[in-house]
Amino acid sequence: MDSEILGIIVTYGLVLLFAIPLGRYIGKVFTYENTWLDKVFNPLDRLFFKIGGINTGKEMTWKEHLVALLTINLTWFILSMLVLTNMAWLPLNPDENPSMSLDLAFNTSVSFVTNTNLQHYSGETALSYLGQLTLMLWQFISAATGIAICAVVFKAMKAKTANTLGNFYSYFVRSATRILFPLAVIVAIILAFNGTPMTFEGKDSITTLEGEQQEISRGPVAAFVAIKQLGTNGGGFYGPNSSNPMENPTYLTNIVETVSIFLIPIALVFALGYVLKRRKMAWTIYGVMTMGFLLLLIPSVISEMNGNAAIGEMGISQQMGSMEGKEVRFGAAASANWATYTTCTSNGSVNAMHDSMTPITGATTLLGMMVNCFYGGVGVGFLNFYIFIILAVFISGLMVGRTPEFLGKKIEAREMKIAMMVALLHPFLILAGTALASYIYAGNPQEYAGWLANPGYHGFSEMLYEFTSSSANNGSGFEGLGDNTPFWNYACGVVMLLARYLPIIGPVAIAGILASKKYVPESSGTLKTDTATFGFMVFAVIFIVAALSFFPALTLGPIAEYFSM
């Protein structure tokens, strides 16, 4: 038990050890300072810009940044639909996997373009290698667009008065070539040398210990897994994701993959401090996020290590903790640790089946996605947190009787309206979607019996989790849900689209509007936003919004399940 806790501490220690210098490096990438990778990638960048006819010297307004982001994403969505619906006759299909249906291709394309990677299919049997490589490319693109738009917001926060905020295409390419690609190469090499496949050959035939012949799917797995973790994408090459020993062979690879989930989201917080020259603010934001993360992690680990209470009442020993749905090579603690990492970000990968977690862990994983800003996804995680900063500044200003100001800019009615719409969109999509699914199921439970493997409280949690995961751009699932149906494919696809782009448009609009305002120098009466007091204020706002929005739904699912055991 002590070794399991030590593994959790070491894993997070490694995250912080690498994230701090990486944050400084990302800050230099955003501010165009010289780095050791410039000589390698500057010629490649120029080639990309020449082929695309892009003038990176042209500064963009916040509206032009959003048009560029949406155009890139729409283009890749169309290409993805073409590939996925025609895989059967396209090349790189040694296992002769079929093409996807229109509704499943729509869900999958939306899912990967929006950095959600919700998978209503089983990877190794539903995709050709061309399909897998296409989705792997989207994992770079979706992550790079998130980091690039975060750079735009950083620049807006730094500007005293400005109408233009750099060039989106330049930020996008630099994020891909200087941040994501080098890290993905390192992680992929570690995985490949520890047993993760990296080949274009088809299935391999092996003889099991029982003497039976079994066909094992292979492919470019190591490269796929590296970017799925680093880009907070989460979509697995195999159906069971990182609980599959081909994706995650050993405890060492489990640590590497877990570290990769948090690495860039936390590094971006420290990059903010470097870009703005406000390191104290960065540490304040990091402290709030970490406090929220620990409040979710600790009960999850304790609950899984103590085992299932219902089984314990039967007199069955659970010395290894609650091991249903978990891999012996990882154990209960590391599984709960991963579950919290993956739901505090928009990663969504799994190394254990969340459907088998205890009710307490089910509730904490849901809360991580409902809050959606404790570290969050690459780039977009900070944008979600930025909304709560704006709300906290406004409320604090009202409490002391001053016009709210943030970084020398007055926050007025227009910015607050946008912030409130973004803050309320997330619970609206989750709760409205769950209510609709519950109504349909309750209206004809026999016809829709295939939806739920576990009716009752747990079945409600399965539907709540699916819409929460979709709205949080997370992609994990309870997996007791029969989700490859037209309803779930289209409903989750629409939620993913709205939940990805409106929460990007809102913060960018606020940052752009504030950047164009007249700068007001700080005075003795200016609210300090880099103090522990303000940090607690932000945390209180997050807690109140989450509690008021989601507590009733949680009482119908995991909380009711806990008290019924």
Side-chain angles (χ1 to χ4, degrees):
M1 184 173 291
D2 291 342
S3 61
E4 290 184 273
I5 299 299
L6 179 61
I8 292 174
I9 295 172
V10 168
T11 299
Y12 192 84
L14 289 171
V15 171
L16 204 55
L17 178 67
F18 295 128
I20 293 175
L22 179 62
R24 179 180 176 85
Y25 168 76
I26 293 174
K28 289 184 177 182
V29 171
F30 286 172
T31 54
Y32 293 84
E33 298 178 36
N34 290 329
T35 68
W36 62 279
L37 286 176
D38 284 343
K39 291 183 179 179
V40 177
F41 288 112
N42 276 341
L44 184 62
D45 289 358
R46 287 194 290 268
L47 177 63
F48 287 145
F49 297 138
K50 185 175 182 180
I51 293 173
I54 295 168
N55 176 16
T56 57
K58 180 183 180 299
E59 293 264 328
M60 294 180 171
T61 64
W62 66 266
K63 294 179 182 178
E64 290 173 326
H65 280 286
L66 290 174
V67 169
L69 181 147
L70 294 172
T71 302
I72 289 173
N73 282 253
L74 177 61
T75 301
W76 293 123
F77 168 76
I78 294 171
L79 290 173
S80 179
M81 287 290 293
L82 291 172
V83 171
L84 296 180
T85 54
N86 293 279
M87 288 184 299
W89 61 270
L90 289 172
L92 293 177
N93 192 11
D95 298 332
E96 299 181 354
N97 288 333
S99 300
M100 281 188 175
S101 63
L102 186 63
D103 61 299
L104 182 56
F106 169 78
N107 181 277
T108 304
S109 298
V110 168
S111 181
F112 277 78
V113 170
T114 60
N115 198 246
T116 309
N117 295 26
L118 186 74
Q119 293 176 289
H120 288 179
Y121 64 90
S122 185
E124 70 273 30
T125 59
L127 290 175
S128 66
Y129 288 172
L130 178 61
Q132 296 277 27
L133 289 173
T134 301
L135 296 183
M136 183 174 75
L137 175 60
W138 298 173
Q139 292 185 116
F140 277 99
I141 292 166
S142 65
T145 55
I147 296 173
I149 206 66
C150 186
V152 174
V153 173
F154 284 3
K155 187 172 179 64
M157 293 171 69
K158 183 180 181 180
K160 289 191 174 180
T161 302
N163 292 314
T164 57
L165 303 168
N167 185 281
F168 180 82
Y169 298 107
S170 178
Y171 287 139
F172 170 68
V173 171
R174 289 172 68 84
S175 296
T177 58
R178 287 163 171 74
I179 301 171
L180 293 170
F181 181 73
L183 289 172
V185 169
I186 295 170
V187 173
I189 290 173
I190 295 172
L191 295 177
F193 274 96
N194 281 275
T196 302
M198 188 62 198
T199 178
F200 284 100
E201 295 182 15
K203 294 179 179 178
D204 190 17
S205 181
I206 66 166
T207 302
T208 67
L209 292 174
E210 293 83 7
E212 302 292 332
Q213 290 296 117
Q214 186 173 347
E215 298 293 315
I216 302 295
S217 296
R218 296 180 292 180
V221 184
F224 192 99
V225 174
I227 188 58
K228 91 167 186 185
Q229 297 300 91
L230 288 164
T232 59
N233 293 286
F237 191 94
Y238 297 98
N241 209 280
S242 286
S243 65
N244 188 307
M246 304 288 276
E247 282 199 23
N248 193 5
T250 66
Y251 196 87
L252 173 62
T253 61
N254 191 71
I255 289 178
V256 171
E257 292 185 31
T258 307
V259 168
S260 298
I261 295 174
F262 267 8
L263 184 59
I264 296 178
I266 293 180
L268 282 169
V269 175
F270 295 117
L272 169 73
Y274 183 86
V275 172
L276 270 59
K277 306 304 178 188
R278 290 175 176 265
R279 290 174 173 79
K280 192 175 179 181
M281 176 184 286
W283 280 102
T284 300
I285 294 171
Y286 167 76
V288 174
M289 292 180 172
T290 302
M291 182 167 61
F293 162 67
L294 291 175
L295 287 174
L296 297 175
L297 174 68
I298 293 170
S300 299
V301 172
I302 293 173
S303 180
E304 297 304 317
M305 291 182 71
N306 285 340
N308 188 299
I311 295 176
E313 290 174 359
M314 298 168 62
I316 300 174
S317 174
Q318 300 179 78
Q319 292 183 353
M320 296 178 65
S322 177
M323 287 300 294
E324 181 188 353
K326 299 181 179 66
E327 294 297 305
V328 175
R329 65 186 186 279
F330 305 140
S335 299
N337 189 50
W338 182 302
T340 310
Y341 271 60
T342 198
T343 50
C344 279
T345 64
S346 65
N347 180 269
S349 64
V350 299
N351 74 343
M353 293 300 102
H354 291 191
D355 194 47
S356 297
M357 296 287 187
T358 61
I360 293 295
T361 308
T364 57
T365 54
L366 278 165
L367 271 171
M369 295 184 291
M370 289 168 171
V371 172
N372 203 26
C373 66
F374 293 153
Y375 303 137
V378 289
V380 180
F382 174 77
L383 265 60
N384 291 331
F385 195 88
Y386 180 72
I387 291 295
F388 287 107
I389 291 177
I390 297 298
L391 294 175
V393 168
F394 185 81
I395 294 170
S396 300
L398 293 179
M399 291 172 67
V400 297
R402 286 179 56 90
T403 301
E405 296 175 8
F406 180 54
L407 299 178
K409 305 297 176 68
K410 293 184 182 297
I411 298 175
E412 298 173 303
R414 182 166 53 161
E415 296 85 72
M416 279 305 300
K417 289 177 182 177
I418 297 172
M420 284 306 304
M421 285 190 289
V422 173
L424 295 176
L425 174 71
H426 184 53
F428 171 77
L429 292 173
I430 294 171
L431 299 177
T434 306
L436 177 61
S438 300
Y439 174 79
I440 293 173
Y441 181 84
N444 195 340
Q446 291 182 337
E447 181 177 351
Y448 299 103
W451 280 12
L452 302 180
N454 303 281
Y457 304 130
H458 197 80
F460 179 81
S461 295
E462 290 172 354
M463 294 189 293
L464 177 64
Y465 195 104
E466 190 75 2
F467 279 110
T468 303
S469 180
S470 299
S471 185
N473 294 137
N474 183 270
S476 63
F478 256 30
E479 303 310 335
L481 183 73
D483 50 23
N484 186 14
T485 67
F487 171 81
W488 287 104
N489 285 335
Y490 286 125
C492 291
V494 171
V495 169
M496 285 186 283
L497 283 172
L498 294 174
R500 171 68 170 182
Y501 297 113
L502 293 181
I504 287 178
I505 293 170
V508 173
I510 293 172
I513 293 168
L514 292 178
S516 64
K517 291 186 177 183
K518 181 180 178 181
Y519 176 76
V520 179
E522 290 187 0
S523 65
S524 58
T526 300
L527 174 68
K528 300 294 183 180
T529 55
D530 56 1
T531 64
T533 302
F534 182 74
F536 280 111
M537 185 66 187
V538 175
F539 185 85
V541 171
I542 295 171
F543 177 81
I544 291 169
V545 170
L548 292 177
S549 300
F550 298 114
F551 184 75
L554 290 171
T555 58
L556 295 174
I559 295 176
E561 183 181 359
Y562 174 79
F563 284 108
S564 68
M565 294 176 65

